[in-house]
Amino acid sequence: MNKEQEMGASLLHWYDFNARILPWRADKNPYRIWISEIMLQQTRVEAVKPYFDRFMKELPDVNALATVDDDKLMKLWEGLGYYNRARNLKIAANEILENYNGKIPASYDELISLKGIGMYTAGAIASIAFNISVPAVDGNVLRVMARVLGDDSDILKDKTKKGMAKKIVPMIPADRPGDFNQALIELGATVCIPNGEPLCDQCPWDTVCTAYKEDLTGLLPVKTKKKERRIEHKIVFIFETEDQILIHKRGKKGLLAGLWEFPNIEGTGIEEEIKDYLKKYELEDVGYEFTHNGIHIFSHIEWHMKGVKIFLEKPKPMKDMLWIPKKDMERIYAIPSAFELFRNSVKN
Ligand code: ADE
């Protein structure tokens, strides 16, 4: 065995004793692997678990996903964030029905051609579900590799990712590529961790790791600083009657596209802004009260929100808005986490 093969073997040996038992690892069903890998992008394992189980119950196969009602799909994704992931899943399911007879294709090139599947996900599905020897390089893997190799290239650059992928290929054991890729992710998630001290005394690669030997784990990996998030101030209106609440469907494009929200406008919450808005709906004489202030952080934007509650005796029809029974809010309408504070404040 050469050095790379030995590293592959020692990592697999470690994985055999340390792999977490996770719902999507129970079998090699390509559909389950695909959905789990999409959910796991940007989202922690513990957060994904309940969503994954519910999704599988409701939409157990490609056919069910391809034909699901959009509102139901959003409801199943509610709280996971990055909602385009779910929309792309449905588009890809339709591509699979049309072009591959409903069977998820067993090839890296065909997988990567599907909507929402990039290099990482194609590598993960190809290796885990179909035993194809390709790397799957996510943020965990980049961190591990940067430390092991003592490589200070910027891991957010595509060039670095491709370079790391090339260096991983000779480590992949031909008989267990999927386990190898998951082992590398697992090492990054549980030992070679992103925040705080890595647990180097538990690492199967301590003897080959440059960062460990040279005490560089605090300096690697190198990531260029992201641009600062833009702050948007919003006034969020909770219009309610005894048993109904007013919601609005967001536009088809942009942040949280197509999801339901409480009516809101740009503004810091000064009286003039609120009065002007209420006037639009001939409600200038109605009283209002401030409720909660909330901050929600997206990847590129922060919303700083001020809640304003308006109680009406009966529902007033308002353009582009929908009055719904409060009791249906949780069950039917996907209202993203950004509004959770306000959602929770509405009593049924
Ligand atoms: N993160 C991304 N893919 C994963 C997997 N298959 N298991 C655990 N964590 C992951």
Side-chain angles (χ1 to χ4, degrees), residues 20 22 24-25 37 40 45 120 128 138 182 185-186:
R20 288 170 293 180
L22 300 172
W24 47 90
R25 290 184 178 164
E37 289 299 341
L40 286 160
V45 163
Y120 165 74
I128 300 170
D138 74 349
Q182 290 202 81
I185 293 168
E186 198 84 343

Side-chain angles (χ1 to χ4, degrees), residues 198-210:
L199 314 173
C200 300
D201 58 333
Q202 298 176 26
C203 183
W205 281 356
D206 58 344
T207 55
V208 288
C209 180
T210 304

Side-chain angles (χ1 to χ4, degrees), residues 19 36 48 65 67 79 85 91 100-101 113 116 122 154 197 212 261 269 295 306 312 320 331:
S36 68
V48 163
L65 173 58
T67 53
R85 292 185 292 172
I91 295 170
Y100 302 102
N101 267 330
S113 77
D154 178 358
E197 291 276 307
Y212 178 59
E261 64 181 357
I295 292 183
K306 195 161 230 176
L312 302 175
D320 297 331
R331 198 168 53 84

